[in-house]
Amino acid sequence: MTLSTRRQAKRAARRAARRALPFRRRLLPTWRVTLGTLATLLLLAAGGFAVLYVIVPVPDPNAHAVAQNNIYLYADGTTEIARTGAVNRTDVTIGQIPLQTQQAVVSAEDRTFYQNRGIDLKGLTRAGWNTLTGKGKQGGSTITQQYVKNYYLTQDRTLERKGRELLITLKVDQQLDKSEILAGYLNSSYYGRGAYGIQSAAHAYYGVDSSQLTLGQGAYLASLLQAPSLYDVRTATPANREKAIARWHYALDGMVQLGFLTPADRTATTFPEPIDPKPATGLAGQAGYLVGVADDYLISSGTLDAATLKSGGWRITTTFDKPRQDAFARAVQEQLTGELDPQSRPTTDTDVRVAGASVEPATGRVVAVYGGPDYVKQPFNDALRQDNQIGSTFKPIDLAAGLIAQHTVDGRPITTESRYDGTSERPVTGGPTPYAPPNEDDTDYGTITLRQAMVKSVNSVYAQEGVDAGLARVRETAVKLGIPDSVRGMDPANTSMTLGTATPSALDLAGAYATLAAHGQAHTPWSVLTLERVNPGGSVDIPKMPEHKATEALDRQIADSVTDVLRDVISPRGTGSAALDLNRPAAGKTGTTDSNLSAWFAGYTPELATTVGLFRENPKTHAKEPLAGTAGFTRINGGAFPTRIWTAYMTAALDGAPTQDFDLQTGPAVPTGPIFPTAPMTTSPSATTTPSTGPATAGPAPTQAPSAPATPEAPATGAAGPSPQPPKPTDPEQPSPTPKPTPRPTRPTGGGPTPTGGPATQQGTPPALSP
């Protein structure tokens, strides 16, 4: 039998054997067919890749690197706020970049840089797997890939761009040595503060040439590459500052792992604080602050990343209303700045700062902010900072949480007319940590309703009420209203949380109060209406903007009940009496922190919610300084300058608009169940928490101003009776110690201002907060 005959016989035998198999088994291809198909596909893929590798050129390095200005507009779409985005970049050679800075970048961004061929297949596979398995969208790009994207391509997130990136990366890795690639990457990357390239970054953050960077400084610049704007520790939130420093540690630890740095030198390296940011040109006055709020919104919402935004060419129409923005700046100037005399009072009238924000409750649109007097002179946006405690402006959140809870620790319902012991320094019962906060001027109020306690901002009452509501519920309520869950001072493990140790920004707080004004419907404040960019080729980029749907943070009856109480704060007997000059229905709350480190007023009408915060800060150390003595007053409370600024701004902002009343749907002031007796005033540590014994449902607010609430001297109708020893409190939110408040604080007589402090806090407990 010949060889040909034997082959034919074998093939015939295989065909016969396959025909003998069941039908479903014959549908499966044989291993020869499978292997042949795979081999063909591999050859086609290799051939296709080879063809693409040949035909896809490395583009001109600067073809896609021309940046344009960003144009920011007011809400009218025509009035210009500022132009920014000019590229701030000076290229340097690799020899002008310290070796340790180069190594820190490799450690932070691509630890296989000196070994890979431009692409890290293991890293790409790991990133893809983590993304698919729900561990978050992750990238596996090497330094070479990032350089190609920055220097040759665009920031577009498309499969076509990614495919070109991989092909060009392979070519670039073949054509350039590692030092050239690293130099290109360091010169093209964005570091924040408008700085492109390592040379500009060295000047922006440390005021030196790149050749003078220390180990620690170089490692920090390397850390910035991951999130340049968010990781600027001079302007970052506390949480982002921690992340930035953690990234700095990661870079240094990687240098040790790669053998670039000895453990001893690593241990001896301390974090190098950068210098304060210098303002960009064209951002004078309020413009820089408005641009900062718009940029923060675009980046934090995920609409654009920082590099894409800074690449320029964007036409950004904001939500800011120019007349209202001008009115905010004018109110601060007329009500505060004009009262300061730094020459005569250099130790108290310098470094005074104001943070403010104004939000539409119905939409969440930010219509105005106050971040400082002039961005060129003060390039810090105080409207966005999250490091000032808000004091008693937190008490409405305590009340809302209590109304949600519907019971105290002993099962008695909480309503706006529930009665508490207002004795100063009465120990809080049931809290996780010991706490006995003093009232302003150590005033005892006896048995007092929650409504009256809000009007007089009684610390001892709301410290206990917050614990009764449940500190975890208080925190949850704050977050639902709009206070970010990442801010400091909202730990349910600390009883003092009830009196406002939280540190949201003025914009955060305005958003929370806007939720109350909107009957419990919450909008996250937003500041950009439209966004578009015309590219050199004529195409137009129009990113999808976030939706602004409301979420229900509170039941309407609860939100409206809080508003009903806050209307009484703006009354002749309330701590916000200065806001009566608005001559419109309004609700609000004052706040002053212990040691007089900050003072606040947060308030709203049906149309607009606005917050104003006042504080002092050392410009060199950034340490907070007491407000006592400012403008010649012994104490600056929320009812003074913050309320005056608020009133002046709101008067101008609502000028010409028809007066609107609150459309409130409040719940019952007292429960329909059994009536509990009213406990007499006691000086014992235990709290007395009982509702009033008669129906005390609040009526609608008057058109011009709310009526004065019941005071400790005149209990609410239906109460069991006055306290056995009725106190005669002074108005805790007025600088003058006289009982009758005046819209403007009164300077003390005698030998000038003397800072006044509250009673000493209890040893081992958190600081108490004043109204």
Side-chain angles (χ1 to χ4, degrees), residues 677-707:
T678 301
M681 185 181 108
T682 176
T683 56
S684 68
S686 61
T688 60
T689 309
T690 62
S692 59
T693 58
T697 305
T703 302
Q704 293 299 324
S707 60

Side-chain angles (χ1 to χ4, degrees), residues 57 95 102 133 211 228 276 341 377 408 528 571 618 628:
Q102 301 175 40
T133 55
S211 60
D276 290 337
D341 189 352
K377 298 177 181 178
T408 68
V528 175
S571 70
N618 186 299

Side-chain angles (χ1 to χ4, degrees), residues 230 232-233 235-242 384-386 486 488:
L230 297 179
D232 186 343
V233 296
T235 59
T237 64
N240 283 335
R241 177 184 171 87
E242 291 179 0
L384 297 179
R385 65 189 305 155
Q386 294 177 329
S486 60
R488 299 177 185 274

Side-chain angles (χ1 to χ4, degrees), residues 222-305:
S223 304
L224 285 169
L225 292 168
Q226 186 180 61
S229 296
L230 297 179
Y231 285 0
D232 186 343
V233 296
R234 282 300 195 188
T235 59
T237 64
N240 283 335
R241 177 184 171 87
E242 291 179 0
K243 292 178 182 178
I245 295 177
R247 184 70 177 175
W248 178 78
H249 284 297
Y250 171 81
L252 291 174
D253 292 339
M255 293 180 70
V256 174
Q257 178 184 333
L258 296 173
F260 297 147
L261 187 66
T262 66
D265 289 340
R266 164 69 183 90
T267 303
T269 305
T270 58
F271 183 76
E273 285 287 341
I275 62 177
D276 290 337
K278 296 180 180 179
T281 58
L283 298 178
Q286 296 296 303
Y289 305 120
L290 302 183
V291 168
V293 172
D295 286 356
D296 181 76
Y297 169 72
L298 290 172
I299 295 170
S300 63
S301 67
T303 306
L304 294 177
D305 59 45

Side-chain angles (χ1 to χ4, degrees), residues 72-80 315-318 320 529-530:
Y72 295 81
L73 304 172
Y74 281 103
D76 60 14
T78 57
T79 306
E80 188 172 307
R315 184 179 178 88
I316 303 166
T317 303
T318 69
F320 306 122
L529 290 168
T530 62

Side-chain angles (χ1 to χ4, degrees), residues 505-520:
S505 69
L507 184 55
D508 297 330
L509 188 60
Y513 271 64
T515 302
L516 294 174
H519 311 293

Side-chain angles (χ1 to χ4, degrees), residues 584 651-659:
R584 286 175 179 264
T651 300
L654 298 174
D655 184 37
T659 299

